[in-house]
Amino acid sequence: MRKMELERALNAFHSMKLTQITPPLTQMPILEENSSIINALKILRTRHHVWVVNDRKEMKLVGVIRYFDVFYILMPPKRARLGSISPLFKSIFGGAEKVGEIMERNVLTIEEDATILDALEKMRRYKVGILAVVDEEGRLKGEVSLRLLITEFLRLLRVGGEEWRQHGSSSQ
């Protein structure tokens, strides 16, 4: 693939709307905030995050639990320091039972009408690999991850008819 074709593909890719590539909600890891922590742990065995919504009917995004949050959930808490929120409150040892008690409430989101370039810029700015896609009322509509963006870009290149090969690559 020539450089011009690759640039044309990248421009087309950057201008695509997130709604064109986000997976259906049925394929996403989602729990209601009153779900058991055990349900979150079951999902986190195979996924890197769980989106938390107020309920499945309204789908208002209220939090996220990430894979590495499992440390706080399963480990005995350290002493709380004054002025800080202790992991104690996000621990089974601290009495937490529901997803809503352990989730991170500050979720990085992006609007559903944003472009792929908007998502890439936000991911780079905040050094994250995934964003929740929400509507103007904060309802979860999808997710966009770096893995999904890579897959979609490679798909776009294949649809163009040729596969791009790096110059100087040892693979033929």
Side-chain angles (χ1 to χ4, degrees), residues 38-160:
I38 300 302
N39 291 335
L41 292 173
K42 287 177 182 178
I43 292 172
L44 291 168
R45 286 186 299 185
T46 59
R47 300 296 296 257
H48 288 108
H49 65 284
V50 178
W51 301 116
V52 183
V53 296
N54 62 335
D55 64 59
R56 289 223 176 241
K57 186 175 181 185
E58 190 179 0
M59 293 298 287
K60 186 121 174 146
L61 182 65
V62 294
V64 64
I65 302 171
R66 293 178 192 88
Y67 185 67
F68 286 111
D69 293 337
V70 172
F71 293 125
Y72 298 114
I73 298 167
L74 297 180
M75 290 182 66
K78 300 224 184 249
R79 297 170 121 221
R81 292 180 301 184
L82 288 175
S84 70
I85 297 176
S86 169
L88 166 70
F89 302 114
K90 292 188 173 192
S91 167
I92 292 172
F93 289 97
E97 296 177 5
K98 303 292 181 191
V99 169
E101 298 171 276
I102 62 167
M103 69 185 180
E104 171 62 46
R105 294 183 184 280
N106 297 319
V107 183
L108 277 174
T109 63
I110 193 161
E111 298 74 32
E112 64 182 333
D113 63 344
T115 64
I116 286 177
L117 183 58
D118 296 330
L120 284 167
E121 288 172 341
K122 192 164 197 173
M123 289 172 164
R124 184 180 66 189
R125 183 178 328 122
Y126 293 101
K127 295 177 175 48
V128 297
I130 194 160
L131 297 169
V133 178
V134 296
D135 66 11
E136 56 279 347
E137 279 89 42
R139 290 186 298 253
L140 185 62
K141 294 296 183 176
E143 66 184 14
V144 60
S145 67
L146 282 175
R147 180 169 287 139
L148 176 65
L149 294 176
I150 292 166
T151 300
E152 285 300 315
F153 182 65
L154 292 173
R155 184 191 62 76
L156 183 65
L157 289 179
R158 284 192 301 275
V159 168

Side-chain angles (χ1 to χ4, degrees), residues 1-10 153 157 164:
M1 181 175 276
R2 292 192 322 261
K3 185 177 180 192
M4 258 180 35
E5 292 168 331
L6 184 58
E7 286 177 7
R8 190 170 30 248
L10 267 171
F153 182 65
L157 289 179
W164 175 63

